[in-house]
């Protein structure tokens, strides 16, 4: 099989306690594929600019500074604070838990 980054970028396959539904299915059937991990992904902006963006929050601020315009970094940081509880809940509640 071949999968694009999609949700796996956010919920991951390689960690044991992943909330990723496909990872959960592999765990149920007792299969553990070899996961390919990566730290960057190709990014294309609407303007056509292309670059490799580091996955995760560490370098994202500089991307926002360069391409996001005035206030983009602060807006994103505020969004992340507000999304924190929702993110925590989504990570804690796997798709399999919904079936129980």
């Amino acid at each position: 099989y071949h999968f694009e980054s999609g949700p796996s970028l956010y919920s991951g396959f390689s960690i044991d306690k992943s909330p990723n539904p496909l990872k959960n299915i592999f765990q149920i059937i007792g299969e553990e594929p070899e996961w390919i991990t990566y730290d960057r992904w190709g990014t294309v902006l609407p303007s056509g600019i292309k670059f490799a963006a580091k996955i995760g929050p560490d370098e994202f601020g500089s991307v926002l500074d360069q391409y996001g315009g005035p206030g983009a970094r602060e807006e994103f940081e505020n969004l992340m604070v507000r999304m924190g509880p929702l993110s925590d809940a989504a990570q804690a509640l796997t798709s399999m838990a919904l079936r129980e």
Side-chain angles (χ1 to χ4, degrees), residues 72-87:
R73 183 190 286 240
E74 183 179 358
E75 289 178 20
F76 185 75
E77 288 170 355
N78 290 338
L79 174 65
M80 298 308 329
V81 168
R82 293 197 61 188
M83 293 298 294
L86 180 59
S87 174

Side-chain angles (χ1 to χ4, degrees), residues 10-76:
Y10 301 102
S11 59
F13 283 121
S14 60
I15 58 174
D16 284 338
K17 294 189 177 207
S18 171
N20 187 292
L22 183 57
K23 169 72 174 196
N24 297 155
I25 297 300
F26 281 120
Q27 289 171 322
I28 290 169
I29 64 172
E31 296 287 334
E32 186 64 26
E34 178 183 344
W35 302 111
I36 299 171
T37 58
Y38 46 93
D39 69 347
R40 297 187 182 276
W41 65 332
T43 304
V44 181
L45 300 180
S47 64
I49 295 172
K50 299 178 183 180
F51 60 95
K54 184 166 176 61
I55 295 170
D58 296 337
E59 291 182 20
F60 193 61
S62 61
V63 171
L64 289 171
D65 291 341
Q66 186 171 359
Y67 301 109
R73 183 190 286 240
E74 183 179 358
E75 289 178 20
F76 185 75

